[in-house]
Amino acid sequence: MITILFSARAKADKVDAFREFAEKATPLSHAEDGCLGYVFHQQKDDPRNIVLREQWRDKGALGEHVKNLVAVFGPPHPGQQLPASFIDLCESFDLKFYDVIGE
């Protein structure tokens, strides 16, 4: 199992667009083979801070997910994997991979 925490700070004028992205990407991701969890969270006292917690069965499922994101939301910037239309909503972001150590 692969667990990813994607933390982002949305650009001040892109909070609504970020929310729209999350609302569109979530059901698409849930429908993908190998998706074990895909949930966006928005900080209550600062809506520009957003966290995505996602879990995938394996690397293959994650790779297909990234391909599907690109197919739906457009190509990435050169040298990146995630769609530029998504990344451009972020003032900053951080992506970390985790192993499960207790369930």
Side-chain angles (χ1 to χ4, degrees):
M1 180 183 341
I2 298 171
T3 301
I4 301 169
L5 289 181
F6 180 92
S7 302
R9 181 149 179 89
K11 292 178 180 175
D13 62 339
K14 299 294 184 188
V15 174
D16 289 339
F18 201 114
R19 183 180 206 89
E20 290 170 12
F21 173 87
E23 289 170 352
K24 185 173 182 182
T26 299
L28 295 173
S29 299
H30 285 168
E32 293 178 34
D33 181 45
C35 179
L36 305 176
Y38 195 89
V39 181
F40 283 90
H41 302 271
Q42 190 172 40
Q43 187 176 323
K44 286 186 176 206
D45 61 349
D46 188 349
R48 291 178 62 197
N49 291 329
I50 298 166
V51 174
L52 166 62
R53 179 186 170 273
E54 52 186 304
Q55 289 187 303
W56 298 94
R57 180 186 58 232
D58 53 33
K59 280 184 163 182
L62 176 58
E64 286 302 310
H65 168 64
V66 172
K67 286 181 191 175
N68 291 336
L69 287 178
V70 168
V72 173
F73 296 103
H77 289 296
Q80 294 187 355
Q81 293 183 351
L82 298 175
S85 64
F86 173 57
I87 296 302
D88 291 346
L89 302 174
C90 304
E91 180 176 289
S92 61
F93 68 89
D94 185 44
L95 180 73
K96 299 221 185 291
F97 291 80
Y98 292 85
D99 289 323
V100 174
I101 59 171
E103 282 190 83

